Amino acid sequence: GRTARAGRPGESISLMIPGDAAHWGKVYGTAGIQKDSLQDINPTAFEVQAAREACRLAVELESKVHQTSKKQFEETWKKRTADELEIMLSDSDVDAEEMRPKAPKRQLAGLYHQLLV
């Protein structure tokens, strides 16, 4: 995950196979992270699978949040533009926007709760 943005401290977790150790050693060295500050957690197969599933859900959630935000922005630009130009939209344009389904928020909430479990 991303961490330490804008000079702020942070923590990260790196999952790697033994062959990746040299590569990550270079990454950590470049970032100024001392080898003795790293902790090997020796996860079980179950924990690795659970981490994979959590990552998959997080990626899916982030993608859906982005898609929903983009769609909402695209749908509301017409109204904002009309307001700025001080023109009125037809009733059918306004009604279509107001009747937009609220289901995406419920779907995102469901994914979020799956991720927390």
Side-chain angles (χ1 to χ4, degrees):
R2 295 189 215 170
T3 186
R5 293 185 191 177
R8 294 181 296 192
E11 294 181 8
S12 68
I13 296 173
S14 301
L15 303 176
M16 63 182 157
I17 59 174
D20 293 336
H23 170 73
W24 282 102
K26 291 177 188 175
V27 170
Y28 289 135
T30 302
I33 298 170
Q34 301 297 319
K35 188 173 182 175
D36 61 350
S37 69
L38 301 178
Q39 182 180 22
D40 188 356
I41 59 172
N42 294 316
T44 65
F46 176 78
E47 292 168 330
V48 170
Q49 185 58 34
R52 281 185 184 152
E53 180 65 9
C55 289
R56 185 191 67 74
L57 287 169
V59 167
E60 185 179 348
L61 178 61
E62 177 62 27
S63 174
K64 290 189 185 239
V65 167
H66 176 73
Q67 289 170 1
T68 301
S69 297
K70 185 176 176 182
K71 186 176 180 180
Q72 287 174 343
F73 177 80
E74 290 170 353
E75 290 175 351
T76 60
W77 79 265
K78 187 192 304 184
K79 184 171 181 348
R80 286 193 318 267
T81 303
D83 289 345
E84 289 173 7
L85 296 173
E86 298 179 353
I87 60 175
M88 293 182 64
L89 296 173
S90 69
D91 288 340
S92 63
D93 288 334
V94 175
D95 289 344
E97 188 171 310
E98 289 174 358
M99 295 181 69
R100 185 176 59 222
K102 304 294 184 205
K105 287 185 181 181
R106 281 192 288 272
Q107 291 172 348
L108 294 177
L111 279 174
Y112 178 73
H113 289 295
Q114 275 184 314
L115 186 58
L116 292 178
V117 175

